[in-house]
């Protein structure tokens, strides 16, 4: 038997079976850089009576602009991308190599569920895979591309990975079939409204909504640059932002980040709280920006988003910068009867574990719990700054006035609010107690941040 000819025949069969997914991989990586692993894995599915070429998944390693990555790509054309025990074991084998070499992993998932007929065997395989991915969390960056429809237990990977990408008009993610979810919910809606970007706007699973895989590549490289190169020479030490002296809105605040360095994570969920990876004066940071003209009210959902982001910053030792404009917990019945207090308690625990620099800037309001958790010196912030026109107080103006001056029943409430603001919410009061390191002119905030970050670099 001609072994070389047999090898070529087998290779042709493998390449043909995974043609679509291999094309997707080629769009993501540097040309001719992909080295496939376990290519000749085949298992027989007794239910379908056919073989799963390559176990229905392509694994290997490649480079993106010279940076090494491991690749895991499910082949949706093989048994509908059905997950099997052998499929999971092949992925886990790739993850073991990634962990050993501390190399980031990119998953490209496309699966309609488990392979029928495997029974409990496939459940054991999924458990092996999920556990391994979880063990790598916080030590090796994991990126997940929802490269089509992803249903069933494999969707749990989206809750483990650091970043999840949804491609326009293509990506659907759901724990069960959207048809089943719709039927059980008593509605008849398109699958995109169940597991697409719009259907998951409260799940905090959509890190990025992108047009195509080339945009995925751009964002992965941007993140990789921030995580792998902690400090770059940006030459922006003396950068002032005059617009902040005129109006301290979110658009102006976001200009503190170096040009073209900013990436907002998870903007679909709780957009009033922006979680940002960026550079300030060339230094990589994880930053939280509270985006609300009158101050952001805390809920279980937006605090959970903050908690996940703080955990990421902690794992990768990123300096943590908080730009504060918040009023504390929303005084709402449904919010009160939610996990908001539990989530805040866990957020504080994670915040305490961040070993890198922690800096807080009150650019708007820091009222009550909004000050205690996000700006208080006793919360462990290395430096706390406040804009000269910011407000720091126990209560927001009107509420505080009504309590503080309750005996003055005939007084005008608006005038009381103004009086309370003047007498109690001026940041100078906090600075007098040593709780604010400096009250600053807004336009110079970037210089203060750069100087502070440089002093705290480890």
């Amino acid at each position: 038997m001609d072994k070389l000819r047999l090898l070529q025949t087998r290779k042709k069969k493998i390449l043909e079976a995974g043609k679509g997914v291999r094309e997707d991989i080629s769009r993501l990586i540097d040309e001719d850089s992909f080295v496939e692993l376990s290519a000749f894995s085949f298992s027989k599915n007794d239910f379908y009576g056919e073989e799963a070429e390559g176990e229905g998944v392509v694994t290997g390693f490649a480079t993106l602009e010279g940076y090494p990555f491991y690749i895991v790509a499910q082949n949706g054309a093989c048994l509908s991308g059905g997950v099997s025990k052998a499929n999971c074991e092949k992925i886990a084998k790739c993850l073991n190599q990634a962990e050993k070499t501390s190399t980031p992993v990119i998953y490209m998932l496309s699966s309609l569920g488990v392979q029928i007929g495997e029974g409990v065997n496939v459940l054991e395989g999924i458990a092996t895979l999920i556990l391994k991915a979880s063990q790598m969390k916080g030590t090796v960056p994991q990126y997940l591309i929802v490269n089509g429809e992803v249903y069933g237990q494999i969707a749990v990977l989206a809750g483990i990975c650091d970043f999840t990408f949804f491609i326009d008009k293509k990506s659907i993610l759901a724990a069960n079939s959207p048809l089943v979810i719709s039927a059980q919910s008593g509605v008849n809606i398109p699958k995109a409204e169940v597991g697409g970007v719009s259907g998951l706007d409260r799940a905090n699973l959509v890190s990025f909504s992108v047009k195509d895989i080339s945009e995925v590549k751009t964002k992965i490289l941007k993140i990789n640059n921030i995580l792998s190169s902690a400090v770059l020479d940006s030459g922006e030490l003396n950068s002032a932002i005059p617009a902040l002296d005129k109006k301290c809105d979110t658009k102006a605040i976001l200009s503190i980040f170096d040009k073209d360095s900013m990436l907002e994570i998870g903007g679909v969920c709780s957009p009033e709280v922006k979680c940002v990876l960026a550079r300030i004066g060339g230094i990589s940071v994880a930053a939280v920006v509270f985006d609300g003209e009158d101050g952001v009210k805390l809920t279980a959902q937006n605090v959970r988003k903050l908690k996940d982001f703080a955990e990421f910053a902690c794992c990768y030792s990123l300096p943590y910068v908080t730009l504060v404009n918040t009023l504390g917990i929303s005084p709402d019945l449904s919010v009160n009867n939610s996990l908001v207090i539990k989530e805040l308690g866990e957020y504080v625990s994670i915040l305490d574990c961040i070993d890198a620099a922690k800096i807080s800037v009150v650019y708007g309001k820091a009222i009550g719990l909004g000050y205690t958790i996000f700006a208080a010196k006793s919360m462990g912030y290395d430096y706390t700054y406040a804009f000269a026109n910011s407000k720091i107080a126990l209560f927001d103006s009107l509420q505080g006035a009504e309590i503080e001056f309750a005996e003055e029943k005939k007084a005008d409430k608006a005038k009381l609010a103004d009086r309370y603001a003047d007498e109690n919410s001026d940041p100078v009061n906090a600075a007098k107690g040593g709780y604010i390191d400096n009250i600053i002119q807004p336009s110079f905030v970037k210089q203060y941040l750069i100087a502070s970050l440089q002093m705290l670099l480890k």
Side-chain angles (χ1 to χ4, degrees), residues 4-72:
L4 290 179
R5 183 174 296 177
L6 180 61
L7 174 63
Q8 291 171 352
T9 301
R10 286 171 172 168
K11 275 189 173 181
K12 185 178 180 180
K13 184 179 179 181
I14 291 170
L15 293 174
E16 185 61 33
K19 182 179 179 181
V21 72
R22 292 173 193 279
E23 289 175 352
D24 288 338
I25 292 173
S26 68
R27 294 188 189 99
L28 182 69
I29 64 173
D30 297 339
E31 188 175 0
D32 297 327
S33 70
F34 185 63
V35 177
E36 189 168 353
L37 302 173
S38 305
F40 292 96
S41 299
F42 286 81
S43 62
K44 183 71 175 291
N45 185 291
D46 294 328
F47 186 87
Y48 288 104
E50 60 181 287
E51 287 183 323
E53 293 87 354
E55 309 303 353
V57 62
V58 177
T59 63
F61 55 89
T63 60
L64 278 71
E65 291 195 0
Y67 289 103
F69 289 82
Y70 274 89
I71 309 290
V72 171

Coordinates of all heavy atoms in Angstrom, one line a residue, residues 4-72:
L4 N 2.1 7.2 1.3 CA 2.0 8.6 1.0 C 0.7 9.0 0.3 O 0.1 10.0 0.7 CB 3.2 9.0 0.2 CG 4.6 9.0 0.9 CD1 5.7 9.4 -0.1 CD2 4.6 10.0 2.0
R5 N 0.3 8.1 -0.6 CA -1.0 8.4 -1.3 C -2.1 8.2 -0.3 O -3.1 9.0 -0.4 CB -1.1 7.4 -2.5 CG -2.4 7.6 -3.3 CD -2.4 6.7 -4.5 NE -1.3 7.0 -5.4 CZ -1.1 6.3 -6.5 NH1 -1.9 5.3 -6.9 NH2 -0.1 6.7 -7.3
L6 N -2.1 7.3 0.6 CA -3.1 7.1 1.6 C -3.2 8.3 2.5 O -4.3 8.8 2.8 CB -2.9 5.8 2.4 CG -3.9 5.5 3.5 CD1 -5.3 5.3 2.9 CD2 -3.5 4.3 4.3
L7 N -2.0 8.8 2.9 CA -2.0 10.0 3.7 C -2.6 11.2 3.0 O -3.4 12.0 3.6 CB -0.5 10.4 4.1 CG -0.3 11.7 4.9 CD1 -1.0 11.6 6.2 CD2 1.2 12.0 5.0
Q8 N -2.3 11.4 1.7 CA -2.9 12.5 1.0 C -4.4 12.3 0.8 O -5.1 13.3 0.9 CB -2.2 12.5 -0.4 CG -0.8 12.9 -0.4 CD -0.1 12.8 -1.7 OE1 -0.7 12.2 -2.7 NE2 1.2 13.2 -1.8
T9 N -4.9 11.1 0.7 CA -6.3 10.9 0.6 C -7.0 11.2 1.9 O -8.1 11.9 1.9 CB -6.6 9.4 0.3 OG1 -6.0 9.1 -1.0 CG2 -8.1 9.1 0.2
R10 N -6.4 10.8 3.0 CA -7.0 11.1 4.3 C -6.9 12.6 4.6 O -7.9 13.2 5.1 CB -6.2 10.4 5.4 CG -6.4 8.8 5.4 CD -5.5 8.1 6.3 NE -5.9 6.7 6.5 CZ -5.1 5.8 7.1 NH1 -3.9 6.1 7.5 NH2 -5.5 4.6 7.2
K11 N -5.8 13.3 4.2 CA -5.8 14.7 4.4 C -6.8 15.4 3.6 O -7.5 16.4 4.1 CB -4.4 15.2 4.0 CG -3.3 15.1 5.1 CD -2.1 15.8 4.6 CE -1.0 15.9 5.8 NZ 0.2 16.6 5.3
K12 N -7.0 15.0 2.4 CA -8.0 15.6 1.5 C -9.4 15.5 2.2 O -10.2 16.4 2.1 CB -8.0 15.0 0.2 CG -8.9 15.6 -0.8 CD -8.8 15.0 -2.2 CE -9.8 15.6 -3.2 NZ -9.7 15.0 -4.6
K13 N -9.7 14.3 2.7 CA -11.0 14.1 3.4 C -11.2 15.0 4.6 O -12.3 15.6 4.8 CB -11.1 12.6 3.8 CG -12.4 12.2 4.4 CD -12.5 10.8 4.8 CE -13.8 10.4 5.4 NZ -13.8 9.0 5.8
I14 N -10.1 15.1 5.4 CA -10.2 16.0 6.6 C -10.4 17.5 6.2 O -11.2 18.2 6.7 CB -8.9 15.8 7.4 CG1 -8.8 14.5 8.0 CG2 -8.9 16.9 8.5 CD1 -7.5 14.1 8.7
L15 N -9.6 17.9 5.2 CA -9.7 19.3 4.7 C -11.1 19.6 4.1 O -11.6 20.7 4.3 CB -8.6 19.6 3.7 CG -7.2 19.6 4.3 CD1 -6.2 19.8 3.1 CD2 -7.0 20.7 5.3
E16 N -11.6 18.7 3.4 CA -12.9 18.9 2.8 C -14.0 18.9 3.9 O -14.9 19.8 3.8 CB -13.2 17.7 1.8 CG -14.5 17.9 1.0 CD -14.5 19.2 0.2 OE1 -13.4 19.6 -0.3 OE2 -15.6 19.8 0.0
A17 N -13.9 18.1 4.9 CA -14.9 18.0 5.9 C -14.9 19.3 6.7 O -16.0 19.8 7.2 CB -14.7 16.9 6.9
G18 N -13.8 20.0 6.9 CA -13.7 21.2 7.7 C -13.4 22.4 6.9 O -12.9 23.4 7.4
K19 N -13.8 22.4 5.6 CA -13.5 23.5 4.7 C -14.0 24.9 5.2 O -13.2 25.8 5.2 CB -14.1 23.2 3.3 CG -13.7 24.3 2.3 CD -14.3 23.9 0.9 CE -14.0 25.0 -0.1 NZ -14.6 24.7 -1.4
G20 N -15.2 24.9 5.6 CA -15.8 26.2 6.0 C -15.1 26.8 7.3 O -14.7 28.0 7.3
V21 N -14.9 25.9 8.3 CA -14.3 26.4 9.5 C -12.8 26.8 9.3 O -12.3 27.7 9.9 CB -14.5 25.4 10.7 CG1 -13.6 24.2 10.5 CG2 -14.2 26.0 12.0
R22 N -12.1 26.1 8.4 CA -10.7 26.4 8.1 C -10.6 27.7 7.4 O -9.6 28.5 7.6 CB -10.1 25.3 7.3 CG -9.9 24.0 8.0 CD -9.5 22.8 7.1 NE -9.6 21.6 7.8 CZ -8.8 21.1 8.7 NH1 -7.7 21.8 9.0 NH2 -9.0 20.0 9.3
E23 N -11.6 28.1 6.6 CA -11.6 29.4 6.0 C -11.8 30.5 7.0 O -11.2 31.5 6.9 CB -12.7 29.4 4.9 CG -12.5 28.6 3.7 CD -13.6 28.6 2.7 OE1 -14.7 29.1 3.1 OE2 -13.5 28.0 1.6
D24 N -12.6 30.2 8.0 CA -12.8 31.2 9.1 C -11.5 31.4 9.9 O -11.2 32.5 10.2 CB -13.9 30.7 10.0 CG -15.3 30.9 9.4 OD1 -15.4 31.7 8.5 OD2 -16.2 30.2 9.8
I25 N -10.8 30.3 10.1 CA -9.5 30.4 10.9 C -8.5 31.2 10.0 O -7.8 32.0 10.6 CB -9.0 28.9 11.1 CG1 -9.8 28.2 12.1 CG2 -7.5 29.0 11.6 CD1 -9.4 26.7 12.3
S26 N -8.5 31.0 8.7 CA -7.5 31.7 7.9 C -7.8 33.2 7.9 O -6.9 34.0 7.7 CB -7.6 31.1 6.5 OG -8.8 31.4 5.8
R27 N -9.1 33.6 8.1 CA -9.4 35.0 8.1 C -8.9 35.7 9.4 O -8.7 36.9 9.5 CB -10.9 35.2 8.0 CG -11.5 34.8 6.6 CD -12.9 35.2 6.5 NE -13.6 34.7 5.3 CZ -14.3 33.6 5.3 NH1 -14.6 33.0 6.4 NH2 -14.8 33.1 4.2
L28 N -8.7 34.9 10.4 CA -8.4 35.4 11.7 C -6.9 35.5 11.9 O -6.4 36.4 12.6 CB -9.0 34.5 12.8 CG -8.8 34.8 14.3 CD1 -9.6 36.1 14.6 CD2 -9.2 33.7 15.2
I29 N -6.1 34.5 11.4 CA -4.7 34.4 11.7 C -3.8 34.9 10.6 O -4.2 35.2 9.5 CB -4.4 32.9 12.0 CG1 -4.6 32.1 10.7 CG2 -5.2 32.4 13.1 CD1 -4.1 30.6 10.8
D30 N -2.5 34.9 10.9 CA -1.4 35.3 9.9 C -1.4 34.1 8.9 O -1.6 33.0 9.2 CB -0.1 35.4 10.6 CG 0.0 36.5 11.6 OD1 -0.9 37.4 11.5 OD2 0.9 36.5 12.5
E31 N -1.1 34.5 7.7 CA -1.1 33.6 6.5 C -0.1 32.5 6.8 O 1.0 32.7 7.2 CB -0.8 34.3 5.2 CG -1.0 33.4 4.0 CD -0.7 34.2 2.7 OE1 -0.5 35.4 2.8 OE2 -0.8 33.6 1.6
D32 N -0.6 31.2 6.5 CA 0.3 30.0 6.6 C 0.9 29.8 8.0 O 1.9 29.1 8.1 CB 1.4 30.0 5.6 CG 0.8 30.1 4.1 OD1 -0.2 29.4 3.9 OD2 1.5 30.7 3.3
S33 N 0.3 30.3 9.1 CA 0.9 30.2 10.4 C 0.2 29.1 11.2 O 0.7 28.7 12.3 CB 0.7 31.5 11.2 OG -0.6 31.8 11.5
F34 N -0.9 28.5 10.7 CA -1.7 27.5 11.5 C -1.0 26.1 11.5 O -0.7 25.6 10.4 CB -3.1 27.4 11.0 CG -4.0 26.5 11.8 CD1 -4.2 26.8 13.1 CD2 -4.5 25.3 11.3 CE1 -5.1 26.0 13.9 CE2 -5.3 24.5 12.0 CZ -5.6 24.8 13.3
V35 N -0.8 25.6 12.6 CA -0.2 24.2 12.8 C -1.3 23.4 13.5 O -1.6 23.7 14.7 CB 1.1 24.2 13.6 CG1 1.6 22.8 13.8 CG2 2.1 25.0 12.9
E36 N -1.9 22.4 12.8 CA -3.0 21.7 13.3 C -2.5 20.6 14.3 O -1.5 20.0 14.1 CB -3.8 21.1 12.2 CG -5.1 20.5 12.7 CD -6.1 20.1 11.6 OE1 -5.8 20.5 10.4 OE2 -7.1 19.5 11.8
L37 N -3.3 20.3 15.3 CA -3.0 19.3 16.3 C -4.1 18.2 16.2 O -5.3 18.6 16.0 CB -3.0 19.8 17.7 CG -1.9 20.9 18.0 CD1 -2.1 21.5 19.3 CD2 -0.5 20.4 17.8
S38 N -3.8 17.0 16.4 CA -4.7 15.9 16.5 C -5.7 15.8 15.3 O -6.9 15.6 15.4 CB -5.6 15.9 17.8 OG -4.8 16.0 18.9
A39 N -5.1 16.1 14.1 CA -5.9 16.2 12.9 C -6.5 14.9 12.5 O -7.6 14.9 11.9 CB -5.0 16.7 11.7
F40 N -5.9 13.8 12.9 CA -6.4 12.5 12.4 C -7.3 11.8 13.5 O -7.3 10.5 13.5 CB -5.2 11.6 12.0 CG -4.6 12.1 10.7 CD1 -3.4 12.8 10.8 CD2 -5.1 11.8 9.5 CE1 -2.8 13.3 9.7 CE2 -4.5 12.3 8.3 CZ -3.3 13.0 8.4
S41 N -7.9 12.6 14.3 CA -8.8 12.0 15.3 C -10.2 11.7 14.6 O -10.8 12.6 14.0 CB -9.1 13.0 16.4 OG -7.9 13.2 17.1
F42 N -10.6 10.4 14.7 CA -11.9 10.0 14.1 C -12.6 9.2 15.2 O -12.0 8.3 15.8 CB -11.7 9.2 12.9 CG -11.3 10.0 11.7 CD1 -10.0 10.4 11.5 CD2 -12.2 10.4 10.7 CE1 -9.6 11.1 10.4 CE2 -11.8 11.2 9.6 CZ -10.5 11.5 9.4
S43 N -13.9 9.4 15.3 CA -14.7 8.5 16.2 C -16.0 8.2 15.4 O -16.5 9.0 14.6 CB -15.0 9.2 17.5 OG -15.7 10.3 17.4
K44 N -16.6 7.1 15.8 CA -17.8 6.6 15.1 C -19.0 7.0 15.9 O -19.1 6.7 17.1 CB -17.7 5.1 14.9 CG -18.9 4.5 14.1 CD -18.9 4.9 12.7 CE -20.0 4.2 11.9 NZ -19.8 2.8 11.8
N45 N -20.0 7.6 15.3 CA -21.2 7.9 16.0 C -22.2 6.9 15.6 O -22.7 6.8 14.4 CB -21.8 9.3 15.6 CG -23.0 9.7 16.4 OD1 -24.1 9.1 16.2 ND2 -22.8 10.7 17.3
D46 N -22.6 6.0 16.5 CA -23.5 4.9 16.2 C -24.9 5.3 15.8 O -25.6 4.7 15.1 CB -23.5 3.9 17.4 CG -22.2 3.2 17.6 OD1 -21.5 3.0 16.6 OD2 -21.8 2.9 18.8
F47 N -25.3 6.4 16.4 CA -26.7 6.9 16.2 C -26.8 7.4 14.7 O -27.8 7.0 14.0 CB -27.0 8.1 17.1 CG -28.4 8.5 17.0 CD1 -29.4 8.0 17.8 CD2 -28.8 9.6 16.1 CE1 -30.7 8.4 17.7 CE2 -30.1 10.0 16.1 CZ -31.1 9.4 16.8
Y48 N -25.8 8.1 14.2 CA -25.9 8.6 12.8 C -25.2 7.6 11.8 O -25.4 7.7 10.6 CB -25.1 9.9 12.7 CG -25.8 11.1 13.3 CD1 -25.4 11.6 14.5 CD2 -26.9 11.7 12.7 CE1 -26.1 12.7 15.1 CE2 -27.6 12.7 13.3 CZ -27.2 13.2 14.5 OH -27.8 14.3 15.1
G49 N -24.5 6.7 12.4 CA -23.8 5.7 11.5 C -22.7 6.3 10.6 O -22.5 5.8 9.5
E50 N -22.1 7.3 11.1 CA -21.0 7.9 10.3 C -19.9 8.4 11.2 O -20.1 8.5 12.5 CB -21.5 9.1 9.5 CG -22.1 10.2 10.3 CD -22.6 11.3 9.4 OE1 -21.8 12.0 8.9 OE2 -23.9 11.4 9.3
E51 N -18.7 8.6 10.6 CA -17.6 9.1 11.4 C -17.6 10.6 11.6 O -18.0 11.3 10.7 CB -16.3 8.6 10.7 CG -16.0 7.2 10.9 CD -14.6 6.8 10.2 OE1 -14.3 7.4 9.2 OE2 -14.0 5.9 10.8
A52 N -17.0 11.1 12.7 CA -16.9 12.5 12.9 C -15.4 12.8 12.6 O -14.5 12.6 13.4 CB -17.2 12.8 14.4
E53 N -15.2 13.3 11.4 CA -13.9 13.7 11.0 C -13.2 14.7 11.9 O -13.8 15.8 12.1 CB -13.9 14.2 9.5 CG -14.2 13.2 8.5 CD -15.7 13.1 8.3 OE1 -16.5 13.8 9.0 OE2 -16.2 12.4 7.4
G54 N -12.0 14.4 12.4 CA -11.4 15.3 13.3 C -12.1 15.6 14.6 O -11.9 16.6 15.3
E55 N -13.1 14.7 14.9 CA -13.9 14.8 16.1 C -14.9 16.0 16.0 O -15.4 16.5 16.9 CB -13.1 14.9 17.4 CG -12.1 13.8 17.6 CD -12.7 12.4 17.6 OE1 -13.9 12.3 17.5 OE2 -11.9 11.5 17.6
G56 N -15.0 16.5 14.7 CA -15.9 17.7 14.6 C -15.3 19.0 15.1 O -16.1 19.9 15.3
V57 N -14.0 19.0 15.3 CA -13.4 20.3 15.8 C -12.0 20.3 15.3 O -11.3 19.3 15.2 CB -13.4 20.3 17.4 CG1 -12.6 19.2 18.0 CG2 -12.9 21.6 17.9
V58 N -11.6 21.5 15.0 CA -10.2 21.8 14.5 C -9.4 22.5 15.6 O -9.9 23.5 16.1 CB -10.2 22.6 13.2 CG1 -8.8 22.9 12.7 CG2 -11.0 21.9 12.1
T59 N -8.3 21.9 16.0 CA -7.5 22.5 17.0 C -6.0 22.7 16.5 O -5.6 22.0 15.6 CB -7.4 21.7 18.3 OG1 -6.8 20.4 18.1 CG2 -8.8 21.5 18.9
G60 N -5.3 23.7 17.1 CA -3.9 23.9 16.7 C -3.4 25.2 17.3 O -4.1 25.8 18.1
F61 N -2.3 25.7 16.7 CA -1.8 27.0 17.2 C -1.4 27.8 15.9 O -1.1 27.2 14.9 CB -0.6 26.8 18.1 CG 0.5 26.0 17.7 CD1 1.6 26.5 16.9 CD2 0.6 24.6 18.0 CE1 2.6 25.8 16.5 CE2 1.7 23.8 17.5 CZ 2.7 24.4 16.8
A62 N -1.4 29.1 16.1 CA -1.1 30.0 15.0 C -0.6 31.3 15.6 O -0.6 31.5 16.8 CB -2.3 30.2 14.1
T63 N -0.4 32.3 14.7 CA 0.0 33.6 15.2 C -1.0 34.7 14.6 O -1.5 34.5 13.5 CB 1.4 34.0 14.7 OG1 1.5 33.9 13.3 CG2 2.4 33.0 15.4
L64 N -1.2 35.7 15.4 CA -1.9 36.9 14.9 C -0.9 38.1 15.0 O -0.5 38.5 16.1 CB -3.1 37.2 15.8 CG -4.4 36.4 15.5 CD1 -4.2 34.9 15.9 CD2 -5.6 37.0 16.2
E65 N -0.5 38.5 13.9 CA 0.6 39.6 13.8 C 1.8 39.2 14.7 O 2.3 40.0 15.4 CB 0.0 40.9 14.2 CG -1.0 41.5 13.1 CD -1.3 43.0 13.3 OE1 -0.7 43.6 14.2 OE2 -2.1 43.5 12.5
G66 N 2.2 37.9 14.6 CA 3.3 37.5 15.3 C 3.1 37.0 16.7 O 4.0 36.3 17.3
Y67 N 2.0 37.3 17.3 CA 1.7 36.8 18.6 C 1.1 35.4 18.6 O 0.2 35.1 17.8 CB 0.6 37.7 19.3 CG 1.2 39.1 19.7 CD1 0.9 40.2 18.9 CD2 2.0 39.3 20.8 CE1 1.3 41.5 19.2 CE2 2.4 40.5 21.1 CZ 2.1 41.6 20.4 OH 2.6 42.9 20.7
P68 N 1.6 34.5 19.4 CA 1.0 33.1 19.4 C -0.3 32.9 20.1 O -0.6 33.5 21.1 CB 2.1 32.3 20.1 CG 2.7 33.3 21.1 CD 2.7 34.6 20.4
F69 N -1.2 32.1 19.5 CA -2.5 31.8 20.1 C -2.8 30.3 19.8 O -2.4 29.8 18.7 CB -3.6 32.6 19.5 CG -3.6 34.1 19.9 CD1 -2.8 35.0 19.2 CD2 -4.4 34.5 20.9 CE1 -2.8 36.3 19.6 CE2 -4.4 35.9 21.2 CZ -3.6 36.8 20.6
Y70 N -3.5 29.7 20.7 CA -4.1 28.4 20.4 C -5.5 28.6 19.9 O -6.2 29.5 20.3 CB -4.1 27.5 21.6 CG -2.8 26.7 21.8 CD1 -1.8 27.3 22.6 CD2 -2.6 25.5 21.3 CE1 -0.6 26.6 22.8 CE2 -1.4 24.8 21.4 CZ -0.4 25.4 22.2 OH 0.8 24.7 22.4
I71 N -5.9 27.8 18.9 CA -7.2 27.9 18.2 C -8.0 26.6 18.5 O -7.5 25.5 18.3 CB -7.0 28.1 16.7 CG1 -6.0 29.2 16.4 CG2 -8.4 28.3 16.1 CD1 -6.5 30.6 16.7
V72 N -9.3 26.8 18.8 CA -10.2 25.7 18.9 C -11.4 26.1 18.1 O -12.1 27.1 18.4 CB -10.7 25.5 20.4 CG1 -11.8 24.5 20.5 CG2 -9.5 25.0 21.2

